[in-house]
Amino acid sequence: MLKKDDHERFMRLALDLALKAQGKTSPNPLVGAVVVRNGKVVGEGYHKKAGADHAEVMALKAAGTKAKGATLYVTLEPCAHEGRTPPCYEAILKAEIAHVVVAMRDPNPKVRGGGNRRLQNKKIIVDTGLLREEARAINKPFIKSVTKGLPWVVAKVGQSLDGKIALPDGESRWITGAAARKKVHELRTEVDAIVVGAQTVRQDNPSLTSRTGAVSKQPVRVIVEGVRQLSPKLKCFKQPPRTILFTPHVDPTQQKAFDALKVEVVPLPARQGRVSLTAMMKALTERQIQSVLIEGGGQLLANAFAEKLIDEVQWYVAPMILGGETAPTSVAGEGLKKLSQAIKLKEVTCEPVGEDWCFKGRVVYPGTGRKK
């Protein structure tokens, strides 16, 4: 008879397996699965990318005939609908699994509970909820996308101790050190898209790619344009990877140049000459983008906070002081009129990264009383 600790150990193994594909499965979730018979693991698997076998199928194939009468531990409710691959519950039935332990139900309102019910209807024992919060934590982008129609948004900042992201003349290379920059490139591999404002593109002319060595995929580059249009000659418009430009207006000449570069130009409603970021995020979700990294600049971050779009922050602080009243700050805009309007963080961590420090936390907006 297995003890509670044994069940948790097998589910943690499934969670660890799921994380092996971090940044590679979108628009599908991260899922891991383990087949256990007589207290021993006889098969394991994880979903590697969209279109590939699901975790349950991988684990059952590894287990072979040993799956008969065994227990399947899976981090997400087995699917019961036809997608790019057959529904997983059919593979579970065929393998004659006796017991399925599920960490969390599928959050999609259209399918939630369907897989579990079908298994139970076939007299398979199904238990749900083991390490539920851990399972939810690794699939925050998937959950938000299918329940709210918006991507999970992380704000990344690299600043001086006094909150400056550049000198008054715009010089910003390099405020944070090599170790912090390496971390950011690793983060880029884990998200579906990088978002920057037009001013950042004009000033820095960045490539907006992940440079971590062996990179299997590059994030989509997303540029938010304001009143002044951008030149198609900038680095971020060169292929690959894919680039999307959101703009309040585009002239025919500019459109033709971007078409030649295979840059997707998306006109969106503007407010005071600026693109609606909420509309942009919804458009990204429609393009199966579930996680977004906003890298700047200060005005873009201010607008994203104002529209309550940011879920999480990763704030890199260099031990240097720049000063200057006109030096750009991390978050621009008009600022607050009352301290009660302050945006706060929960679940805050702080760790050294080379010579710098990185603060991470979940965002809590005033008046909500809960994390985003």
Side-chain angles (χ1 to χ4, degrees):
M1 187 74 174
L2 292 178
K3 299 178 181 179
K4 179 182 178 182
D5 289 347
D6 294 319
H7 290 297
E8 289 190 358
R9 175 164 56 89
F10 294 132
M11 187 61 80
R12 289 192 190 281
L13 174 57
L15 289 165
D16 289 341
L17 288 167
L19 285 170
K20 287 187 175 183
Q22 190 167 30
K24 301 174 183 177
T25 62
S26 185
N28 292 351
L30 292 167
V31 185
V34 176
V35 180
V36 176
R37 183 171 180 174
N38 298 327
K40 294 183 180 180
V41 175
V42 294
E44 57 183 49
Y46 65 96
H47 183 47
K48 294 183 177 181
K49 63 178 182 178
D53 281 343
H54 286 191
E56 302 94 314
V57 174
M58 294 283 288
L60 292 170
K61 284 181 178 179
T65 57
K66 294 179 181 179
K68 184 176 180 179
T71 298
L72 172 68
Y73 295 81
V74 61
T75 58
L76 181 70
E77 175 185 358
C79 63
H81 58 283
E82 191 85 29
R84 296 187 188 182
T85 58
C88 291
Y89 90 95
E90 291 183 353
I92 295 170
L93 295 178
K94 185 177 180 180
E96 298 185 68
I97 285 285
H99 183 194
V100 178
V101 182
V102 178
M104 62 173 284
R105 289 198 304 169
D106 191 325
N108 190 333
K110 296 179 181 179
V111 299
R112 186 170 53 204
N116 286 354
R117 284 193 298 272
R118 291 203 179 193
L119 292 172
Q120 290 168 328
N121 289 340
K122 296 296 183 178
K123 308 305 180 185
I124 292 175
I125 300 170
V126 179
D127 291 317
T128 304
L130 181 64
L131 302 185
R132 179 190 291 111
E133 292 309 309
E134 289 88 338
R136 289 180 62 84
I138 68 171
N139 273 314
K140 294 176 291 188
F142 175 73
I143 294 169
K144 187 180 178 186
S145 176
V146 298
T147 59
K148 298 184 181 298
L150 292 168
W152 183 264
V153 181
V154 180
K156 189 282 297 182
V157 167
Q159 66 169 49
S160 65
L161 191 60
D162 56 338
K164 307 299 183 182
I165 58 173
L167 296 176
D169 64 359
E171 181 186 351
S172 62
R173 296 189 177 184
W174 296 100
I175 290 177
T176 53
R181 295 196 296 275
K182 183 175 183 293
K183 282 284 188 182
V184 172
H185 281 289
E186 291 172 357
L187 178 58
R188 287 179 176 183
T189 67
E190 297 173 4
V191 297
D192 295 335
I194 302 172
V195 177
V196 296
Q199 185 58 31
T200 296
V201 172
R202 288 191 194 94
Q203 192 154 298
D204 298 340
N205 193 19
S207 297
L208 298 178
T209 56
S210 175
R211 298 182 288 281
T212 58
V215 178
S216 58
K217 80 168 184 66
Q218 290 285 355
V220 176
R221 297 179 292 204
V222 177
I223 317 298
V224 186
E225 188 181 58
V227 176
R228 290 175 54 203
Q229 295 186 343
L230 293 170
S231 167
K233 296 180 180 180
L234 292 163
K235 290 179 183 178
C236 60
F237 295 125
K238 296 181 179 178
Q239 297 290 318
R242 176 184 173 195
T243 304
I244 306 175
L245 173 64
F246 288 95
T247 177
H249 54 80
V250 59
D251 63 46
T253 302
Q254 188 187 36
Q255 181 70 64
K256 186 176 180 180
F258 282 129
D259 286 345
L261 292 170
K262 298 181 180 179
V263 172
E264 182 182 4
V265 180
V266 182
L268 283 180
R271 182 187 305 168
Q272 297 178 336
R274 299 187 185 279
V275 167
S276 164
L277 297 184
T278 300
M280 182 191 78
M281 294 298 180
K282 289 179 179 178
L284 291 177
T285 302
E286 291 170 359
R287 287 160 176 78
Q288 297 191 321
I289 290 173
Q290 293 183 344
S291 57
V292 165
L293 178 64
I294 296 183
E295 293 206 22
Q299 187 60 56
L300 178 64
L301 278 175
N303 295 342
F305 277 121
E307 295 186 41
K308 298 183 179 181
L309 292 170
I310 296 174
D311 301 282
E312 177 184 338
V313 301
Q314 293 198 17
W315 227 260
Y316 291 86
V317 180
M320 64 171 69
I321 296 172
L322 301 183
E325 291 183 357
T326 60
T329 59
S330 304
V331 182
E334 296 180 359
L336 305 177
K337 293 180 173 62
K338 298 179 180 179
L339 278 176
S340 60
Q341 299 172 332
I343 297 166
K344 298 183 179 181
L345 300 181
K346 295 290 186 182
E347 302 170 18
V348 180
T349 62
C350 178
E351 62 179 5
V353 181
E355 297 179 351
D356 308 315
W357 291 83
C358 180
F359 291 83
K360 297 180 182 179
R362 295 278 299 275
V363 176
V364 179
Y365 290 94
T368 64
R370 58 182 177 82
K371 295 185 287 294
K372 258 292 272 159

